[in-house]
Amino acid sequence: MSHTSHTEAHGAGAAHADSHPPQSFFHKYLWSTDHKVIAMQYLFTGMAMALVGAFMAYVFRMQLAFPGMSVPGFGVVSPGEYNAMITNHGSIMIFWVAMPVLIAGFGNYLIPLMCGCDDMVFPRVNRLSYQLFFLSVLVLIASLFVQGGGFGGAWTAYPPLSSVAKYNLTPWGSLLWIIAVALEFVAFLLGGINFITTAMNSRAPGMKAFDVPIVVWMIVVASLLFMASVGPLIAGAVMLIFDQTLHTGFFDPARGGDPVLWQHLFWFFGHPEVYVVLLPAMGIVAEIMTVFARKKLFAYRMVIYSVIATGVLSFFVWAHHQFIAGIDPRMANIFTVTTLLISIPIAELCFVYIATLYGGSIRLTTPMLWALAFVAEFLIGGVTGIYLGASGADIFFHDTYFVVAHFHYTFFPIAIIAVFAGITFWFPKMFGRYMNETWGKVHFWGTIIPFNLIFIPMFLLGMAGEHRRIYDYTHFPDLALPELQAMRILATVALLVMLAFQLVFLVNFVLSLMRGARASKNPWNANTLEWTAESPPPHGNWAELPNCYRGPYEYSVPGRELDYWPQDEKA
Ligand code: HEM
Ligand SMILES: [Cu+2]
């Protein structure tokens, strides 16, 4: 992007302000093309869906700890309902929480503000993206209430269970579930177009590629990964819909189809998808760490190269999900090697973060606590993945609670910890007020401690041989041992405690919105461009768009009086 096209596109300050006249309520909040409003729509929809997903976790964890008991607020859980809860919990947390909040929510909010432009390149495509996403939410919710109930074939939807009504007993639930997922994919394809083009073409004059904040890089790479991986799965989804409704046999061996084909299509998308949500989370954490350690990000360029390398490698590991699906054992060897390889750049990123902290003047604010916790907890998820990536060990671990614990130690830091980090960090910018720090810290500890108490027992249960997706362990005497049941009860009680502490966040959030202390433009003394706009930024972001003179992480520069150096400050 060149200097001139930026000024041509946006004109001088005065002309710029004219293109953003005052708007009616309908156009301002419901039919808006403003990237910040769309970001909020995604953020709040995602947070509402997190409550739905958490409620489901509550219901099935109660069933696991106290089988057959009537769950307060739900009732007795039938086996079909149990499966539907597990399936939709997983689907919601990934497709309707992690994706909308991390990529669409933070991506929409941050990319134009951090790049110093007034909006996305294609604002109406952006609006369409949210509208389709909202439609997908409605379809998914509807799928839970149709005849036969919600789909129960797991978020991975393996056929023939997912494709044949005679097996899954949820013909409508299965169909609506797959339609909802497909709609959601279209929404994110549309969103990704904007993230990539805006970061490439609308940067402030003077902002070179290596002056772009790391979180923007991460969201752009994540969007590219999503675009490159989702195509085969969309084709697969259409084939699955045909199998369900037109009785084709793409995935049915009885009719010459192959159920493992679906597994390949699904995981060719499914594994890169992990990085699609991981990268924005790591970007958020990096921004927060540099600000609260007052340090330059360690090895900024190396981080970008590693992230791109990780992205490329992530297309060559998918069959580690299929070690015992009957693939050729020689293939398993290859996928073990690629899987262990991909842990190298990810481990490197964790070391980069620790090196960024080293020697910094660290301030343990609430967002910083979340950022530090992200690295600590995610490491546990990463390290346990090495065991699962080794095909021999996975023969034992596959489909046990060890896997459930492993992926929650990756997804919970991503979808919950990094999101809380981001919300508490950008709250003053988004809403012009501070959140309460004390209650922020109470909420932090009230979430982190129970989180570990929920999932550490699951590692132990998995190692004891407990398989997942079992509705009632009392039917399996060797899994119903009292010591194993005690761990299940511990996990469930810890979940209840963790959920109770989320009320602290909700109350803090709402009260701070209404009467938190007013925040200035740049409350954390940070460098990146969003902190030069008003808090909250008006429609159009700046009266006069900023220029960029340096990279984003010039903290504690020797010889400078201030320990930060905003990107827009003339040298
Ligand atoms: C709020 C705390 C949470 C608890 C207590 C919890 C608990 C569980 C449990 C017990 C299972 C079922 C294991 C089985 O029987 O197969 C499960 C499945 C799953 N969870 Fe969570 N979870 C939580 C949050 C999350 C988050 C934040 C994410 C992702 C962002 C997530 C993603 C998943 C996925 C993908 C599955 C697999 C679903 C399937 O097998 O189809 N969970 N969760
Ligand atoms: Cu994978």
Side-chain angles (χ1 to χ4, degrees), residues 218 282-283 285-286 289 297 349-357 375:
M218 298 265 195
M282 293 205 86
V285 167
M289 282 193 168
L297 182 71
L349 288 180
C350 292
F351 286 125
V352 160
Y353 288 8
I354 295 169
T356 301
L357 296 172
V375 177

Side-chain angles (χ1 to χ4, degrees), residues 106-128:
F106 284 108
N108 263 308
Y109 197 82
L110 295 177
I111 291 178
L113 279 167
M114 286 185 145
C115 292
C117 59
D118 59 346
D119 207 323
M120 289 290 180
V121 171
F122 304 113
R124 273 173 290 189
V125 172
N126 209 16
R127 179 177 66 198
L128 182 63

Side-chain angles (χ1 to χ4, degrees), residues 287-304:
E287 301 298 333
I288 294 171
M289 282 193 168
T290 55
V291 170
F292 293 114
R294 315 309 288 167
K295 281 258 321 265
K296 211 181 178 114
L297 182 71
F298 187 84
Y300 167 91
R301 288 192 186 205
M302 200 59 215
V303 169
I304 293 169

Side-chain angles (χ1 to χ4, degrees), residues 171-218:
W172 286 105
S174 314
L175 180 62
L176 291 180
W177 181 89
I178 188 84
I179 291 175
V181 171
L183 278 173
E184 196 257 14
F185 287 166
V186 177
F188 282 102
L189 283 172
L190 293 174
I193 295 173
N194 263 316
F195 303 153
I196 296 167
T197 48
T198 305
M200 283 176 72
N201 295 319
S202 293
R203 296 199 301 271
M207 185 179 271
K208 298 185 288 296
F210 287 123
D211 295 331
V212 174
I214 217 78
V215 68
V216 174
W217 268 102
M218 298 265 195

Side-chain angles (χ1 to χ4, degrees), residues 161-176:
L161 189 59
S162 57
S163 61
V164 184
K166 193 168 65 191
Y167 304 146
N168 61 45
L169 306 176
T170 57
W172 286 105
S174 314
L175 180 62
L176 291 180

Side-chain angles (χ1 to χ4, degrees), residues 401-402 405 455-466 484 487:
Y401 264 80
F402 191 91
F455 291 107
I456 289 174
M458 292 192 203
F459 279 124
L460 304 173
L461 284 164
M463 287 190 279
E466 176 180 298
L484 297 186
M487 283 196 262

